[in-house]
């Protein structure tokens, strides 16, 4: 989620107090919901889960920047530096290299996303997903697992960002692990290569 950048943005604001920072959740991540009032709720949920193509995610980023410009009442988009982690790195690369925000992009940085290593890592993704807990008894246990497994290596960052990855689902009150993943990573497999190839 966009909360993955919370600790970093606090440090950036110390160095550049006047910098504006926009940290967004990609569709299907964090609190973002994709809605289309012309379709049923069930069909809408299926659309949200299915369309995670690089083109769609890039268009979403451009749209959020444009909507921010409108909401802020700016005449034009200010100069930007785009920073993306993992899949977000592929998105900012696509937006920047494609000129989708015109000459407003001064530069872009990608964290933990190099085409070759990302594609190699995808080969072991199913193994990783099969060893990952399906849920957690408490939110704190989910945070602890992320730190213990070194999925998130910074405790401050884990306490900020992990709650955005999980949701509480205990319909009858008897579920032993009611804190479950918001994003079904296995369902995103059809998009994996498209995110990183090229």
């Amino acid at each position: 989620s966009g909360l993955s950048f919370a600790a970093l943005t606090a440090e950036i604001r110390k160095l550049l107090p006047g910098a504006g920072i926009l940290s967004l959740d990609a569709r299907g991540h964090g609190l973002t919901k994709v809605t289309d009032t012309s379709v049923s709720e069930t069909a809408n949920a299926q659309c949200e889960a299915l369309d995670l193509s690089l083109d769609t995610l890039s268009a979403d980023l451009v749209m959020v920047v444009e909507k921010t410009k409108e909401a802020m009442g700016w005449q034009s988009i200010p100069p930007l530096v785009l920073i993306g982690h993992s899949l977000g790195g592929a998105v900012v690369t696509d937006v920047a290299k494609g000129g989708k925000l015109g000459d407003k992009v001064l530069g872009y940085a990608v964290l933990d996303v190099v085409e070759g290593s990302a594609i190699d890592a995808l080969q072991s993704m199913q193994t990783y997903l099969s060893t990952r807990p399906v849920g957690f008894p408490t939110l704190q246990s989910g945070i602890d697992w992320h730190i213990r497994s070194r999925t998130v290596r910074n405790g401050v960052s884990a306490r900020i960002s992990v709650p955005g990855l999980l949701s509480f689902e205990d319909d009858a009150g008897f579920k032993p692990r009611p804190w479950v993943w918001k994003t079904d990573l296995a369902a995103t497999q059809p998009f994996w290569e498209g995110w990183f190839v090229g």
Side-chain angles (χ1 to χ4, degrees), residues 27 33-51:
R27 63 176 54 215
K33 300 283 184 226
V34 178
T35 58
D36 180 348
T37 56
S38 66
V39 295
S40 71
E41 190 172 311
T42 303
N44 190 29
Q46 292 169 343
C47 291
E48 176 182 345
L50 295 178
D51 194 3

Side-chain angles (χ1 to χ4, degrees), residues 128-152:
Y128 165 73
L129 291 176
S130 70
T131 62
R132 185 173 86 152
V134 295
F136 303 95
T138 65
L139 181 57
Q140 185 61 50
S141 64
I143 293 167
D144 293 342
W145 177 84
H146 278 81
I147 295 168
R148 220 177 25 260
S149 68
R150 298 180 59 83
T151 304
V152 179

Side-chain angles (χ1 to χ4, degrees), residues 59-124:
D60 286 349
L61 172 58
V62 171
M63 187 253 330
V64 167
V65 170
E66 291 286 346
K67 293 288 185 186
T68 301
K69 176 189 140 218
E70 290 174 22
M72 297 299 290
W74 298 330
Q75 292 295 319
S76 64
I77 296 170
L80 303 170
V81 174
L82 303 176
I83 301 173
H85 170 256
S86 190
L87 169 56
V91 173
V92 300
T93 298
D94 184 60
V95 169
K97 287 184 72 175
K100 297 175 182 180
L101 288 169
D103 62 354
K104 296 303 180 182
V105 178
L106 299 178
Y108 64 101
V110 297
L111 309 173
D112 196 24
V113 58
V114 176
E115 180 180 6
S117 59
I119 292 170
D120 289 345
L122 293 178
Q123 304 304 316
S124 59

